[in-house]
Amino acid sequence: MDLSSLNSIAQSMVAPNKGILAADESTPTIGKRFATIDTESNEKSRQTYRNMLFTSANASDYISGVILFDETIRQSTDDGIPFAEYLTSLGIVPGIKVDKGAKKLPMCAGELVTEGLDGLRERLAEYHELGARFAKWRAVLSIADDKPSKTCIEVNAHALARYSALCQEAKIVPIVEPEVLMDGDHSINKCYDVTAEVLNKVFTSLNEQKVSLNGIILKPNMVISGADAKDRADIVTVAGATVKCLTEHVPEEVPGIAFLSGGQTSEEATAHLNAMNEHGPHPWQLSFSYGRALQAQPLKAWSGEASNINAGQKAFIKRSRLNSLARTGNYNPQMEETG
Ligand code: 13P
């Protein structure tokens, strides 16, 4: 694995047939996930769970990178190997979430701006020491009649570009994640228009701040109906609209696009990615960087029980393999039953 330049790191993050595991839930968020399986969240249970995922046999056949949280990059496998070192030894690139979360945007009721720029240069230097070769920053935009506001789009794009420039200075590839949320009853057309406007602003800001586009990975939402919409667009429509929107708004220099799952079911997220890759090749790799869509099944299979570690690892590898097949359009929903 050549990790000597930003572009070669980015290429390995979107290597063929592989994708990224987003395992960077903050402590409150992983607490919510553990609550669904009646499991207490503490430092040890979080290490146990992440150890289960990362040490699954053959994970590196399907997983190119893992996004870690600050606590996790300082933790080790059950055998005492720091997680970042362990992943690197498998050829999996370790990454780190560096934003400090989405906070209320003043003067824009109900909207959020992602914070975390103060001291970021120093934090990136430390994370590089700890083995991270890419980072993640998530901006959040909601759709409603009067949202997102121009202000919200502008300030989040500016922060994403500030973060990206600092990452590249530190020889860390920025994952640029402007997430247009699926919450609401809006149509797929509305999602298309908002996603297009957000991507335009993000790339304008990245260019203004001299970010090298061949050394980033874009992590967008898919263009999809709101979760509560009456007639939700089907898989083929979502895939077509997403590819069209990206083709029109993402420069070809960007090596890869790794989608978030954003509340889609595990099966939907895989089917959508598959439908997009059935009609490739595209100018950029079209891959996955799923959190919930990769973890929901292994989390449930594990349910906090030591005796279920094998079952959790099997569920994780199965989900990873199905998404790997979706990278080339070779997934079929019947595989959900047959494995
Ligand atoms: P989801 O796939 O659960 O949306 O998480 C991806 C992620 O990293 C969000 O920032």
Side-chain angles (χ1 to χ4, degrees), residues 34-163:
F34 280 15
T36 67
I37 52 162
D38 281 330
T39 296
E40 189 190 321
S41 174
N42 55 45
E43 197 178 337
K44 177 62 192 151
S45 64
R46 293 189 289 270
Q47 182 275 339
T48 299
Y49 173 64
R50 267 91 181 225
N51 183 79
M52 174 185 88
L53 296 177
F54 306 163
T55 64
S56 298
N58 307 322
S60 63
D61 289 352
Y62 315 113
I63 298 296
S64 54
V66 175
I67 318 176
L68 304 167
F69 185 60
D70 181 78
E71 175 185 86
T72 322
I73 202 170
R74 301 172 197 284
Q75 288 178 325
S76 299
T77 64
D78 291 349
D79 296 334
I81 306 167
F83 280 137
E85 188 183 322
Y86 174 77
L87 292 167
T88 304
S89 74
L90 297 180
I92 297 176
V93 189
I96 181 77
K97 170 193 170 78
V98 299
D99 69 67
K100 296 264 187 183
K103 307 288 162 62
K104 280 187 197 166
L105 177 61
M107 311 302 164
C108 294
E111 296 197 294
L112 302 170
V113 60
T114 303
E115 297 189 350
L117 291 169
D118 288 355
L120 182 55
R121 176 178 275 127
E122 292 72 24
R123 290 197 291 128
L124 287 167
E126 189 197 3
Y127 287 138
H128 194 279
E129 277 288 299
L130 290 169
R133 292 296 176 268
F134 72 92
K136 176 187 115 171
W137 178 289
R138 172 174 176 256
V140 185
L141 300 114
S142 307
I143 296 184
D145 286 345
D146 55 346
K147 287 186 213 143
S149 65
K150 297 247 175 287
T151 312
C152 184
I153 295 173
E154 173 74 39
V155 295
N156 276 295
H158 188 265
L160 275 166
R162 288 267 286 117
Y163 140 84

Side-chain angles (χ1 to χ4, degrees), residues 17-296:
N17 307 313
K18 297 185 190 184
I20 296 169
L21 164 66
D24 60 320
E25 297 83 3
S26 63
T27 304
T29 301
I30 197 72
K32 283 187 218 155
R33 305 274 187 270
F34 280 15
T36 67
I37 52 162
D38 281 330
T39 296
E40 189 190 321
S41 174
N42 55 45
E43 197 178 337
K44 177 62 192 151
S45 64
R46 293 189 289 270
Q47 182 275 339
T48 299
Y49 173 64
R50 267 91 181 225
N51 183 79
M52 174 185 88
L53 296 177
F54 306 163
T55 64
S56 298
N58 307 322
S60 63
D61 289 352
Y62 315 113
I63 298 296
S64 54
V66 175
I67 318 176
L68 304 167
F69 185 60
D70 181 78
E71 175 185 86
T72 322
I73 202 170
R74 301 172 197 284
Q75 288 178 325
S76 299
T77 64
D78 291 349
D79 296 334
I81 306 167
F83 280 137
E85 188 183 322
Y86 174 77
L87 292 167
T88 304
S89 74
L90 297 180
I92 297 176
V93 189
I96 181 77
K97 170 193 170 78
V98 299
D99 69 67
K100 296 264 187 183
K103 307 288 162 62
K104 280 187 197 166
L105 177 61
M107 311 302 164
C108 294
E111 296 197 294
L112 302 170
V113 60
T114 303
E115 297 189 350
L117 291 169
D118 288 355
L120 182 55
R121 176 178 275 127
E122 292 72 24
R123 290 197 291 128
L124 287 167
E126 189 197 3
Y127 287 138
H128 194 279
E129 277 288 299
L130 290 169
R133 292 296 176 268
F134 72 92
K136 176 187 115 171
W137 178 289
R138 172 174 176 256
V140 185
L141 300 114
S142 307
I143 296 184
D145 286 345
D146 55 346
K147 287 186 213 143
S149 65
K150 297 247 175 287
T151 312
C152 184
I153 295 173
E154 173 74 39
V155 295
N156 276 295
H158 188 265
L160 275 166
R162 288 267 286 117
Y163 140 84
S164 298
L166 282 162
C167 284
Q168 292 192 339
E169 180 191 78
K171 302 202 179 338
I172 286 181
V173 168
I175 288 188
V176 177
E177 181 178 6
E179 177 173 4
V180 177
L181 294 179
M182 209 165 94
D183 301 350
D185 60 3
H186 53 270
S187 67
I188 186 170
N189 291 342
K190 176 77 179 178
C191 179
Y192 188 104
D193 291 345
V194 170
T195 303
E197 190 181 352
V198 168
L199 290 174
N200 263 347
K201 187 58 81 179
V202 166
F203 282 102
T204 301
S205 293
L206 291 172
N207 283 323
E208 281 171 358
Q209 296 190 42
K210 308 187 193 312
V211 173
S212 299
L213 296 187
N214 74 5
I216 71 164
I217 296 295
L218 180 70
K219 176 163 174 167
N221 53 285
M222 294 181 195
V223 174
I224 193 168
S225 312
D228 302 324
K230 271 205 202 84
D231 296 307
R232 302 196 67 221
D234 62 16
I235 289 166
V236 171
T237 308
V238 169
T242 304
V243 169
K244 181 166 186 288
C245 189
L246 296 171
T247 303
E248 287 171 2
H249 300 284
V250 181
E252 296 194 3
E253 288 160 83
V254 173
I257 295 173
F259 293 101
L260 57 92
S261 60
Q264 298 180 44
T265 65
S266 303
E267 293 84 354
E268 277 170 346
T270 308
H272 285 142
L273 182 65
N274 187 68
M276 286 184 235
N277 279 316
E278 265 177 353
H279 302 291
H282 303 292
W284 357 253
Q285 293 290 317
L286 278 188
S287 187
F288 58 92
S289 174
Y290 294 156
R292 286 162 285 178
L294 274 174
Q295 293 185 55

